[in-house]
Amino acid sequence: MFERITSKILGLVSNRRIAELARAVAQRAAPTPVAPAVIFFNASARLGHLSQNAAFSLLAAWGLRLAGVRVIHFVCNRGMSRCVLGTNPDDPTQPPPCAVCVAQSQRLYAHADSRWFEFRKEAQLAEELKDLSLADLKKFAHNGWPLGELVLPGLRWTLRRHHLVNDEATRYLYKQYILSAFNVGREFEKLLDEEEPPLAVVLFNGLMYPEAMAGWLAQQRSLRVITHEVALLPLSAFFTEGQATAYPMEIPADFHLSPEQNDQLDHYLEARLQGQFTMAGIQFWPEMQAPDANFLTKAAQFKKIVPVFTNVIFDTSQVHANTLFPHMFAWLDEVRELIKTHPDTLFVIRAHPDEMRPGTRKQSRESVGGWVQHNGLEKQANVTFVGSDVYLSSYALIQRAHFVMVYNSSIGLEASIMNKPVLCAGAARYTSYPTVFYPNSTAAYLKTAQEFLRAEKMEQPPEFVAEARRVLYFQLFRTALPFNGYLQAHTRMGYVHLNSFSFDDLLPQNSSAMRAIYAGVVNGDSFLV
């Protein structure tokens, strides 16, 4: 009760701050009227409350406006029949909560140049979709627009699964998303025609279907498309000219850690080892548990321990990860065969802590736990499964490991820093640098896995440790733009309130985050602190 009341009060204060700042920014901003505009579009990061990514987008736009940049917000006004966050996966026919979302948009974009779009159903398109199968919908295109492909990542995210169920409810939702994506595209093209050519298009995530549609259309015109997502540090953002969910980084070859930077990284890693970290505003580890006596007794019966770290199958990073294998479960199927042929090794299969996020609808409907049960691996003598609700320290597993297997989880980079060889099965934020073993084909991966399992002892290449430290430091302290001076965490996971600050704090000369955003958006520089 106290938390609800406190949250309500903070929300009211934050809304008042939004109104005050929106008014102040409008009064102070004075861009050249004919200057090329920067178009912001974020329809998939929030509904009635302010999420981190909604705040990043809003604050970035305010900072640019105060720096003299002309900004246009492309805003949904009941412009989709079904949207990503507003879908009830248990009942796709339920309309989204448009009233609260539109009211929030009116607060966020008050006194700004906003272009609102509404939904108009395209009758011809609806007729084309009417009798299509799930397979047909995945490859569906209309007027040259690959609508089925653009919609698919957002649909998988909404339904919390990679393999879609071929039923009426799924096909209905797929069709509604395609109709909505087409409407978004049609309206966005009108804006691009009016503002040709804009300086840049700034989008949340870039893979949820509204933003994916806008990004695809912008790219067809060779426009600069910038996307953003949450970064690893609390209340920090990652902006890039490209796919933020792939987290591309260009680390200068001459960048090396100083003693002070090494100390800074060590302090961060010490906190991680104790579970003291958040991601996207989520505290995954309320406590960190050491292996208990039962685990240690079982582990003592085996010559080797190999932790297997999995990911959330519907996460948008998986679009980029699926390089050697078509999806994570295809990789796990191969791991299952390795388990059978190496009975002297204990495989500890670790579900990602976000796979079954408690208290939300964001719980995987195609889970690693379900895969383990379906394959009867809980009965396999050389398997231990650690569910997402078990707070067993992943770092304690790494310390005991012969080597570590990951798909594309960030734990792979940390394991490498802990001097353990890591065999990676999917493209990750760090696989473009020599930090882990990342074979170039499925056959090479399976061959390497067999060699590692047969080896009496594994040695970590020293250069991997040094490079992993360099990559993690750069990711944390150079690419993560700090918004913590503007924001504080909400009691609801992933949401934020505005702190007390003045519009002067949003000027590039007074903020490292705004300085990086201005340099990246206006000058085409890298978005670095």
Side-chain angles (χ1 to χ4, degrees):
M1 176 74 73
F2 176 76
E3 285 185 356
R4 286 199 298 270
I5 293 171
T6 302
S7 177
K8 184 76 171 177
I9 293 170
L10 286 172
L12 292 171
V13 171
S14 185
N15 284 341
R16 187 165 63 188
R17 294 285 301 137
I18 290 170
E20 291 170 353
L21 284 162
R23 205 162 34 243
V25 168
Q27 291 169 354
R28 285 286 298 269
T32 306
V34 296
V38 176
I39 300 174
F40 276 77
F41 182 36
N42 181 348
S44 304
R46 56 106 191 132
L47 292 171
H49 296 280
L50 188 66
S51 71
Q52 286 196 72
N53 271 302
F56 298 155
S57 177
L58 178 68
L59 292 164
W62 280 349
L64 289 172
R65 289 170 63 193
L66 287 169
V69 178
R70 185 163 161 256
V71 169
I72 297 173
H73 291 280
F74 186 59
V75 189
C76 178
N77 182 20
R78 302 175 187 268
M80 296 170 276
S81 67
R82 297 294 180 275
C83 66
V84 172
L85 275 186
T87 297
N88 180 351
D90 295 317
D91 181 12
T93 64
Q94 180 180 314
C98 292
V100 295
C101 184
V102 171
Q104 179 73 333
S105 294
Q106 289 170 339
R107 282 189 288 269
L108 297 180
Y109 308 125
H111 312 291
D113 187 353
S114 304
R115 312 296 169 86
W116 297 69
F117 66 94
E118 299 178 351
F119 181 69
R120 290 185 296 114
K121 185 176 179 179
E122 177 64 34
Q124 179 188 344
L125 178 59
E127 184 63 27
E128 289 181 40
L129 294 170
K130 187 172 65 173
D131 297 320
L132 293 186
S133 66
L134 185 61
D136 291 335
L137 290 169
K138 288 181 179 179
K139 59 187 179 183
F140 180 78
H142 181 78
N143 291 345
W145 294 5
L147 295 170
E149 179 184 336
L150 290 171
V151 160
L152 188 56
L155 183 65
R156 283 173 166 155
W157 189 92
T158 299
L159 296 177
R160 313 297 191 246
R161 57 191 310 121
H162 177 87
H163 294 95
L164 300 177
V165 178
N166 188 11
D167 59 11
E168 184 59 36
T170 301
R171 292 191 296 273
Y172 170 82
L173 187 58
Y174 209 151
K175 293 169 187 176
Q176 293 304 311
Y177 278 13
I178 288 175
L179 287 167
S180 298
F182 179 78
N183 187 68
V184 169
R186 179 171 52 191
E187 296 299 318
F188 195 69
E189 276 214 314
K190 292 178 185 176
L191 175 57
L192 292 180
D193 288 341
E194 294 172 11
E195 295 296 331
E196 182 75 27
L199 183 62
V201 175
V202 182
L203 307 168
F204 158 65
N205 185 275
L207 283 179
M208 297 305 184
Y209 82 77
E211 294 83 1
M213 184 74 255
W216 186 84
L217 288 170
Q219 287 170 339
Q220 302 314 297
R221 301 182 183 216
S222 299
L223 300 175
R224 292 173 59 227
V225 176
I226 295 159
T227 60
H228 64 88
E229 256 289 2
V230 292
L232 281 183
L233 290 178
L235 300 174
S236 69
F238 175 70
F239 281 71
T240 183
E241 191 168 327
Q243 287 284 355
T245 49
Y247 217 103
M249 298 184 294
E250 292 186 15
I251 306 176
D254 60 354
F255 173 74
H256 302 288
L257 300 190
S258 68
E260 293 77 16
Q261 290 170 331
N262 271 306
D263 288 343
Q264 187 180 11
L265 181 59
D266 286 338
H267 287 310
Y268 169 82
L269 291 169
E270 286 169 11
R272 291 276 297 188
L273 285 168
Q274 299 170 40
Q276 298 172 11
F277 61 90
T278 63
M279 181 64 181
I282 311 303
Q283 176 77 38
F284 290 125
W285 301 92
E287 58 180 316
M288 189 79 85
Q289 298 171 352
D292 61 19
N294 289 335
F295 177 87
L296 295 175
T297 299
K298 181 174 182 177
Q301 301 171 27
F302 296 90
K303 291 176 61 179
K304 304 162 187 171
I305 297 176
V306 174
V308 180
F309 292 104
T310 63
N311 288 77
V312 179
I313 190 64
F314 59 82
D315 189 80
T316 48
S317 71
Q318 298 303 285
V319 173
H320 315 290
N322 300 330
T323 50
L324 306 183
F325 298 90
H327 51 80
M328 183 186 70
F329 288 113
W331 165 65
L332 284 175
D333 286 341
E334 295 292 349
V335 172
R336 180 190 60 203
E337 297 306 309
L338 294 171
I339 289 169
K340 292 177 183 177
T341 55
H342 293 274
D344 61 342
T345 298
L346 176 62
F347 292 82
V348 185
I349 301 173
R350 185 74 167 92
H352 193 281
D354 200 29
E355 187 176 70
M356 303 300 287
R357 187 183 299 182
T360 71
R361 282 180 177 166
K362 195 178 176 183
Q363 297 183 0
S364 184
R365 299 180 179 219
E366 189 178 11
S367 68
V368 173
W371 176 85
V372 167
Q373 186 175 17
H374 174 75
N375 287 283
L377 288 181
E378 74 278 7
K379 300 173 185 176
Q380 192 85 18
N382 63 330
V383 171
T384 291
F385 173 64
V386 182
S388 58
D389 58 346
V390 177
Y391 305 122
L392 174 64
S393 169
S394 297
Y395 304 106
L397 296 177
I398 293 168
Q399 288 167 344
R400 292 168 169 80
H402 176 58
F403 72 96
V404 174
M405 301 178 78
V406 302
Y407 197 60
N408 71 314
S409 173
S410 59
I411 194 73
L413 193 61
E414 295 173 284
S416 188
I417 290 173
M418 292 173 68
N419 206 32
K420 289 293 180 180
V422 176
L423 181 58
C424 197
R429 300 173 177 186
Y430 46 84
T431 49
S432 58
Y433 295 91
T435 57
V436 297
F437 293 92
Y438 181 49
N440 59 11
S441 69
T442 306
Y445 176 90
L446 297 174
K447 181 175 181 290
T448 303
Q450 291 284 7
E451 291 172 353
F452 282 14
L453 287 164
R454 293 191 190 108
E456 286 299 315
K457 187 178 180 181
M458 288 294 301
E459 296 290 344
Q460 167 78 323
E463 60 271 22
F464 279 18
V465 178
E467 186 68 0
R469 289 182 65 86
R470 197 176 76 101
V471 169
L472 183 57
Y473 183 92
F474 198 87
Q475 181 179 320
L476 288 169
F477 303 113
R478 296 297 306 280
T479 70
L481 307 186
F483 281 76
N484 53 315
Y486 308 115
L487 305 172
Q488 59 178 301
H490 193 295
T491 53
R492 290 185 61 185
M493 292 192 295
Y495 289 97
V496 293
H497 298 299
L498 291 188
N499 282 332
S500 178
F501 59 88
S502 74
F503 49 77
D504 283 337
D505 296 320
L506 290 166
L507 294 171
Q509 60 264 36
N510 298 328
S511 163
S512 61
M514 295 304 162
R515 191 156 51 248
I517 289 169
Y518 181 91
V521 172
V522 177
N523 301 328
D525 295 342
S526 299
F527 292 85
L528 299 176
V529 176

